[in-house]
Amino acid sequence: MKKTICYLFFGFLFVVLTSFTVHQFYMGIYQVNYAPEKKMLQITTRIFVDDLDKALEKKYNKKLHLGTDMESPEELPLLKKYLAEKFTIKINGKPSPMALLSKELEGDVLVCYLSIKGVAKINSLETYNAILIDWNSEQQNITHFTILGEKQSFLFTESSTKQMLKF
């Protein structure tokens, strides 16, 4: 009898534990603020560092350790190159290069601080955001914009990597 109860218990435990699958969440959060007094766009990105490391490893065939003590000097240029390729902003129809000011690791999220200087006036803002989408088609990037007191948010996915704002 004890043997039967033991088998039933472990069988039940097996079914319960295997019926729930772990679903990883693939999300990046971006904040774009216009500071007219500084004539600058201030951009903050929040990206899961393990996903970013894997995407860059796949793209550049190099093992990365962004934000950790094991980060090598060669990794920062790869990060800059990837960000410049996968996250672009055109202001008034003109491409505007972003400068990576700094980065920091907050738990398992890499926070990058970027800026675009010399922005006197904004009539339109075209944003392309495909960060990590080339690595994982389930990736979603939420981008919040605060421009001239107006707040808007967009979801960038595999099927929607560009958005246009007009003022």
Side-chain angles (χ1 to χ4, degrees):
M1 183 68 173
K2 282 186 178 181
K3 207 175 194 181
T4 305
I5 291 174
C6 191
Y7 284 132
L8 286 174
F9 173 75
F10 284 112
F12 175 76
L13 187 63
F14 175 78
V15 169
V16 168
L17 292 177
T18 59
S19 65
F20 298 102
T21 59
V22 176
H23 176 65
Q24 189 159 3
F25 194 58
Y26 299 103
M27 178 68 63
I29 308 290
Y30 304 79
Q31 180 68 47
V32 179
N33 296 324
Y34 178 49
E37 68 283 355
K38 295 180 181 178
K39 296 182 180 181
M40 145 187 336
L41 278 181
Q42 301 167 326
I43 303 149
T44 305
T45 71
R46 296 182 184 281
I47 308 166
F48 285 109
V49 72
D50 58 337
D51 295 340
L52 185 58
D53 282 343
K54 289 174 188 171
L56 293 176
E57 181 179 341
K58 178 183 174 187
K59 184 167 182 67
Y60 300 116
N61 298 314
K62 181 176 172 108
K63 182 84 172 143
L64 300 172
H65 307 281
L66 289 167
T68 69
D69 294 337
M70 296 171 50
E71 181 179 327
S72 70
E74 300 87 41
E75 293 181 38
L76 187 58
L78 293 178
L79 174 62
K80 287 180 180 180
K81 183 178 177 182
Y82 184 78
L83 290 175
E85 182 183 315
K86 298 296 180 180
F87 185 53
T88 62
I89 294 179
K90 289 182 181 179
I91 300 170
N92 304 328
K94 296 179 183 171
S96 303
M98 290 182 226
L100 178 61
L101 304 174
S102 66
K103 63 178 176 41
E104 64 181 328
L105 196 59
E106 289 181 358
D108 57 354
V109 173
L110 185 69
V111 181
C112 297
Y113 302 97
L114 304 112
S115 70
I116 298 174
K117 294 183 179 179
V119 183
K121 186 177 179 183
I122 297 179
N123 296 319
S124 67
L125 198 70
E126 182 181 333
T127 305
Y128 169 75
N129 189 339
I131 291 179
L132 299 182
I133 292 174
D134 57 333
W135 172 73
N136 184 343
S137 62
E138 293 180 30
Q139 176 71 26
Q140 298 180 349
N141 296 319
I142 296 177
T143 306
H144 304 288
F145 296 89
T146 305
I147 312 290
L148 302 171
E150 189 177 324
K151 295 180 180 180
Q152 292 189 20
S153 297
F154 294 101
L155 179 64
F156 293 85
T157 63
E158 183 180 37
S159 61
S160 176
T161 57
K162 286 186 179 180
Q163 291 292 337
M164 174 70 88
L165 291 162
K166 294 191 178 193
F167 305 96

